Amino acid sequence: MSEVNSESLKPVTEEVTELQEKLAAADRLLAKKNQEIAELNARVTVANQKISERDEEIEQLETELARRSEEISASSALIAIGVELPEAADLLNQLKGKRKKSKADLADVAAILEILQPDTD
């Protein structure tokens, strides 16, 4: 067998070394890009959580708005047909006249009338 001259292997060895350096550089770049992707994914997760929280808040506000609209509609309907709400004490007396054992008190009746009256502000 013929022996291979170390001089003839030198260009091949240099090429292998150069390719290994390029591969190491590519590995470092890939690791950096993977880290950037992971950071972006974390930011997207946080942003999605904030969006979800805002969606829940919007849903709660829409529910509250619908409830208040119903209250206003009920009050407006009474006003539109010219019904004037009685005083709380008079209404309580009427209630006690019909339901002698009613546990409602003046504060309860006043609260009910307050609910039925439309907000003027």
Side-chain angles (χ1 to χ4, degrees):
M1 280 211 211
S2 66
E3 293 208 13
V4 179
N5 185 344
S6 65
E7 285 295 318
S8 65
L9 291 178
K10 190 174 183 178
V12 173
T13 304
E14 289 174 357
E15 185 177 347
V16 167
T17 302
E18 183 181 324
L19 289 173
Q20 287 174 334
E21 289 172 0
K22 286 181 179 180
L23 180 60
D27 284 345
R28 286 190 301 272
L29 181 61
L30 182 60
K32 181 180 175 184
K33 294 301 179 189
N34 284 337
Q35 178 64 32
E36 289 173 359
I37 289 170
E39 290 171 2
L40 288 173
N41 282 336
R43 288 173 59 189
V44 166
T45 299
V46 169
N48 284 337
Q49 180 63 33
K50 287 180 181 179
I51 289 169
S52 177
E53 289 169 0
R54 286 188 180 136
D55 286 347
E56 289 174 17
E57 185 179 352
I58 288 169
E59 188 173 315
Q60 289 172 350
L61 290 172
E62 287 174 341
T63 301
E64 177 68 13
L65 177 61
R67 185 186 64 76
R68 289 189 181 190
S69 292
E70 287 175 11
E71 288 176 2
I72 290 170
S73 293
S75 297
S76 298
L78 290 174
I79 292 169
I81 60 173
V83 174
E84 192 168 316
L85 298 174
E87 292 296 318
D90 295 336
L91 193 55
L92 180 60
N93 288 334
Q94 289 177 24
L95 176 63
K96 294 289 184 174
K98 289 186 179 194
R99 299 193 62 203
K100 296 193 182 342
K101 293 184 180 183
S102 173
K103 300 207 186 293
D105 62 17
L106 187 57
D108 294 331
V109 175
I112 292 168
L113 288 173
E114 192 174 300
I115 290 169
L116 293 176
Q117 291 176 349
D119 293 333
T120 56
D121 45 293

